């Protein structure tokens, strides 16, 4: 492997690790998503959970605005509940996680007046820390029976930012990533 290929490979690995939101999705493969054009919120006001961090009117406004903006970009129109082709709901959760950075490895390649040189370093010192993970789930519901037909979930390390612009940007990024593959592409039957 030449030096250019090696550095391209390492750079790609580093960039892939920079994604701050981990997303997964699930959906009902028998539901016809191609018929969807209008939506309504399942709850006009987010139900209280009793957890102050989750029951946050500022975040509720941010999340709803981000979802509505993303759905509008996809061509969906907001309507009243009676006329909606689907309903939207969201849920937040916070969980404690443990981060174990018990070992690490580094590789060095260089050139000196004595020729080429390389080295490999290994550290086995344990570093364990805990952190809080925030989760945002966005559900798409069939309005006829309120059954979930699609769910997207984004997870990331929770931030203690007190900067409203940064919080809004984080929410917008998470919602965009979660709804990126909605509606799902389905195989023709």
């Amino acid at each position: 492997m030449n030096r250019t290929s090696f550095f391209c490979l390492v750079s790609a690995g580093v960039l892939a690790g920079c994604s701050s939101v981990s997303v997964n999705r699930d959906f009902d493969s028998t539901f016809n998503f191609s018929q969807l054009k209008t939506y309504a919120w399942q709850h006009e006001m987010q139900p209280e959970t009793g957890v102050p961090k989750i029951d946050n009117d500022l975040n509720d406004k941010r999340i709803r605005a981000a979802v509505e903006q993303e759905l509008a970009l996809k061509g969906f129109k907001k309507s009243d509940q009676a006329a909606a082709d689907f309903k939207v709901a969201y849920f937040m959760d916070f969980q404690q996680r443990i981060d174990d950075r018990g070992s690490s490895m580094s590789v060095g390649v260089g050139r000196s007046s004595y020729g080429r040189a390389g080295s490999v370093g290994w550290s086995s010192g344990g570093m364990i820390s805990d952190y809080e993970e925030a989760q945002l789930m966005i559900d798409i519901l069939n309005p006829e029976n309120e059954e979930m037909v699609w769910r997207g979930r984004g997870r990331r390390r929770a931030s203690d930012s007190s900067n409203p612009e940064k919080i809004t940007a984080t929410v917008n990024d998470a919602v965009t990533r979660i709804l990126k593959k909605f509606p799902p592409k389905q195989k023709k039957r």
Side-chain angles (χ1 to χ4, degrees):
M1 175 183 292
N2 67 27
R3 203 168 34 175
T4 304
S5 297
F6 174 76
F7 287 117
C8 287
L9 182 63
V10 170
S11 297
V14 169
L15 290 175
C18 290
S19 176
S20 61
V21 179
S22 171
V23 175
N24 61 32
R25 299 165 194 89
D26 190 14
F27 65 94
D28 179 351
S29 60
T30 64
F31 186 79
N32 183 3
F33 289 92
S34 65
Q35 68 187 358
L36 304 180
K37 293 179 182 29
T38 60
Y39 73 93
W41 285 98
Q42 180 186 30
H43 307 286
E44 288 304 317
M45 293 189 63
Q46 191 65 8
E48 294 283 323
T49 65
V51 179
K53 190 177 337 190
I54 295 173
D55 299 337
N56 179 330
D57 292 341
L58 297 172
N59 279 337
D60 179 52
K61 289 176 189 173
R62 287 181 182 108
I63 292 167
R64 286 175 185 265
V67 168
E68 289 177 4
Q69 178 181 347
E70 198 62 31
L71 290 176
L73 289 172
K74 293 175 174 287
F76 297 108
K77 305 279 185 219
K78 188 175 178 184
S79 71
D80 61 18
Q81 288 203 5
D85 296 327
F86 66 97
K87 291 184 181 178
V88 181
Y90 82 86
F91 305 94
M92 285 186 64
D93 190 20
F94 290 89
Q95 296 180 351
Q96 287 298 121
R97 297 285 187 209
I98 295 176
D99 189 10
D100 178 11
R101 296 184 184 187
S103 61
S104 64
M105 183 175 93
S106 62
V107 177
V109 178
R111 185 176 203 124
S112 71
S113 59
Y114 297 107
R116 294 183 195 158
S119 66
V120 174
W122 178 264
S123 168
S124 62
M127 190 171 124
I128 298 174
S129 63
D130 66 329
Y131 66 95
E132 196 167 47
E133 180 182 77
Q135 293 188 59
L136 174 61
M137 289 163 276
I138 300 174
D139 292 346
I140 304 299
L141 308 163
N142 182 340
E144 295 173 11
N145 54 18
E146 299 277 326
E147 287 183 3
M148 183 188 328
V149 293
W150 186 92
R151 171 173 274 181
R153 179 178 73 151
R155 300 177 302 148
R156 73 178 298 273
R157 199 177 275 253
S159 170
D160 288 335
S161 177
S162 60
N163 179 328
E165 291 81 20
K166 185 176 179 182
I167 296 169
T168 299
T170 301
V171 167
N172 290 345
D173 178 58
V175 169
T176 298
R177 289 175 188 251
I178 293 168
L179 291 175
K180 182 177 182 176
K181 293 186 179 177
F182 175 79
K185 292 186 177 156
Q186 293 175 285
K187 296 176 184 172
K188 296 196 180 199
R189 298 176 212 175

